[in-house]
Amino acid sequence: MASPTPLLNDELDIVIPTIRNLDFLEMWRPFFQPYHLIIVQDGDPSKTIKVPEGFDYELYNRNDINRILGPKASCISFKDSACRCFGYMVSKKKYIYTIDDDCFVANDPSGHKINALEQHIKNLLCPSTPYFFNTLYEPFREGADFVRGYPFSLREGVPTAVSHGLWLNIPDYDAPTQLVKPLERNTRYVDAILTIPKGTLFPMCGMNLAFDRDLIGAAMYFGLMGDGQPIGRYDDMWAGWCCKVICDHLGLGIKTGLPYIYHSKASNPFVNLRKEYKGIFWQEDIIPFFQSLVLPKEATTVQKCYIELAKQVKEKLSKVDPYFDKLADAMVTWIEAWDELNPAGASGKAKA
């Protein structure tokens, strides 16, 4: 059952990208109904999206994005779930939870329904420990602590900026892995949360993800993907790599593990391969780029970090493909649009 008193219900927005009616919300009603939803409609803006009664929501389509951002709307992807980051930009809350419309409520091994949102909030309100690995994983969980040999000076931890949840049933595989393992399902429920160590990148999945918008929101840009672009399905990956190097630089933490959701259907591996094809090659240059990236000491806010990151993308990745020139420009446009909609002093302005 959901909590009797929902955590942070006045401080958190749920962002959902979709092209279809949101019947899946009925399953989530006990957990989501106390919260405000921001629905970003992808594709044809003339199509009517139906939302079940009783939910507090606002819905934006492509016409709304163009009206609100004007020429800067070019930085928001079209015909790709990357459009969800527009919802991050227009939110006025401190926290964001984002979920895909093919994700259902999962059961834990004892058969109880998992309140994924509540677990994400607990992750975000609890410190991270990126500087020294605790072999009992999350030291702040009930029944756990820091192990012998863990420096006392590091036990206070750092603020948690991102909570990355996982999925039962359909794993988040790329197209080649989907093609060779078409029947594979994730049935393992690992009851663990861990902080991703400083200096370590990870593949971020956007279908079950929460973050502190004040701390890292301006870096949660899901890139230029989908219609008119040579790549898709790397939107959350790109945001994850950018967020991780910025979190490392600013002394923030990212957790992964619990909570699980149930991912109900696999996307078409042949369609996915078409979208991912270039990315599968490009990532062999992108990953070393992020691994060797150094941000200057003067970059004391997320926005400053992100502008510097865009500059280095242009300098070092444009030789891989001209697409990265366009992406770097879009990253700058994103920050300009973010700052217009989130002026200094308002919730959502990145802190140093």
Side-chain angles (χ1 to χ4, degrees), residues 119-340:
Q119 181 63 59
H120 275 298
I121 291 169
K122 287 178 178 176
N123 290 351
L124 289 171
L125 294 179
C126 193
S128 289
T129 53
Y131 300 125
F132 204 89
F133 190 80
N134 192 54
T135 49
L136 273 182
Y137 301 119
E138 174 63 275
F140 302 104
R141 287 185 78 182
E142 191 175 345
D145 210 326
F146 292 96
V147 297
R148 182 170 58 88
Y150 200 102
F152 284 88
S153 59
L154 295 177
R155 293 189 183 192
E156 187 177 331
V158 302
T160 300
V162 180
S163 171
H164 179 257
L166 299 174
W167 351 266
L168 294 170
N169 195 39
I170 305 293
D172 187 31
Y173 285 160
D174 54 35
T177 310
Q178 275 185 292
L179 286 165
V180 297
K181 294 183 171 182
L183 301 178
E184 186 157 286
R185 299 293 179 265
N186 182 35
T187 57
R188 288 186 306 157
Y189 179 97
V190 181
D191 187 16
I193 304 160
L194 58 152
T195 298
I196 300 171
K198 183 181 180 184
T200 300
L201 295 171
F202 76 112
M204 189 174 84
C205 173
M207 70 173 128
N208 177 27
L209 179 73
F211 59 92
D212 186 321
R213 189 173 171 277
D214 283 3
L215 288 179
I216 200 64
M220 272 289 175
Y221 176 47
F222 276 43
L224 274 183
M225 304 278 154
D227 199 48
Q229 308 303 332
I231 186 174
R233 285 175 55 83
Y234 272 84
D235 50 335
D236 41 8
M237 300 290 148
W238 183 261
W241 298 327
C242 292
C243 284
K244 185 59 168 68
V245 296
I246 291 173
C247 283
D248 285 353
H249 177 74
L250 294 179
L252 302 170
I254 296 178
K255 293 180 191 248
T256 187
L258 300 184
Y260 283 88
I261 49 87
Y262 184 90
H263 186 208
S264 66
K265 65 177 189 284
S267 45
N268 185 308
F270 296 101
V271 173
N272 291 346
L273 186 59
R274 234 181 359 253
K275 293 177 180 178
E276 295 171 358
Y277 182 75
K278 287 182 181 291
I280 289 167
F281 291 100
W282 291 348
Q283 69 186 13
E284 302 308 321
D285 291 299
I286 295 170
I287 299 302
F289 164 77
F290 279 106
Q291 286 174 328
S292 61
L293 185 82
V294 177
L295 293 168
K297 287 181 182 174
E298 307 82 70
T300 53
T301 66
V302 174
Q303 280 93 328
K304 287 178 182 175
C305 289
Y306 206 72
I307 293 294
E308 173 63 28
L309 186 48
K311 180 179 154 195
Q312 294 198 34
V313 167
K314 191 175 270 277
E315 285 174 2
K316 296 175 182 174
L317 288 181
S318 58
K319 68 179 184 294
V320 175
D321 193 274
Y323 162 77
F324 290 98
D325 260 336
K326 189 161 52 162
L327 176 58
D329 291 340
M331 291 167 72
V332 174
T333 303
W334 160 265
I335 292 295
E336 290 169 355
W338 180 279
D339 284 344
E340 279 180 23

Side-chain angles (χ1 to χ4, degrees), residues 16-214:
I16 305 167
T18 193
I19 56 169
R20 59 181 66 88
N21 295 335
L22 293 180
D23 302 330
F24 92 114
L25 285 172
E26 286 295 353
M27 180 182 286
W28 288 100
R29 189 181 289 277
F31 309 120
F32 287 3
Q33 195 159 2
Y35 296 87
H36 179 67
L37 312 181
I38 298 177
I39 301 160
V40 184
Q41 178 181 343
D42 196 16
D44 182 1
S46 67
K47 183 179 175 184
T48 301
I49 299 288
K50 291 179 183 171
V51 181
E53 287 187 15
F55 286 93
D56 171 41
Y57 72 92
E58 53 193 305
L59 188 151
Y60 296 94
N61 62 30
R62 194 71 204 187
N63 295 338
D64 300 314
I65 294 172
N66 292 338
R67 173 176 51 81
I68 292 166
L69 295 185
K72 293 186 176 66
S74 61
C75 73
I76 305 296
S77 300
F78 184 56
K79 293 189 176 174
D80 193 279
S81 65
C83 68
R84 79 178 78 216
C85 61
F86 177 76
Y88 311 159
M89 186 186 280
V90 296
S91 171
K92 294 294 177 253
K93 303 286 177 62
K94 178 171 169 54
Y95 300 99
I96 295 284
Y97 175 53
T98 186
I99 185 171
D100 285 1
D101 61 13
D102 62 350
C103 294
F104 299 160
V105 178
N107 293 330
D108 67 19
S110 63
H112 294 108
K113 292 193 180 304
I114 297 167
N115 186 345
L117 182 52
E118 182 178 66
Q119 181 63 59
H120 275 298
I121 291 169
K122 287 178 178 176
N123 290 351
L124 289 171
L125 294 179
C126 193
S128 289
T129 53
Y131 300 125
F132 204 89
F133 190 80
N134 192 54
T135 49
L136 273 182
Y137 301 119
E138 174 63 275
F140 302 104
R141 287 185 78 182
E142 191 175 345
D145 210 326
F146 292 96
V147 297
R148 182 170 58 88
Y150 200 102
F152 284 88
S153 59
L154 295 177
R155 293 189 183 192
E156 187 177 331
V158 302
T160 300
V162 180
S163 171
H164 179 257
L166 299 174
W167 351 266
L168 294 170
N169 195 39
I170 305 293
D172 187 31
Y173 285 160
D174 54 35
T177 310
Q178 275 185 292
L179 286 165
V180 297
K181 294 183 171 182
L183 301 178
E184 186 157 286
R185 299 293 179 265
N186 182 35
T187 57
R188 288 186 306 157
Y189 179 97
V190 181
D191 187 16
I193 304 160
L194 58 152
T195 298
I196 300 171
K198 183 181 180 184
T200 300
L201 295 171
F202 76 112
M204 189 174 84
C205 173
M207 70 173 128
N208 177 27
L209 179 73
F211 59 92
D212 186 321
R213 189 173 171 277
D214 283 3

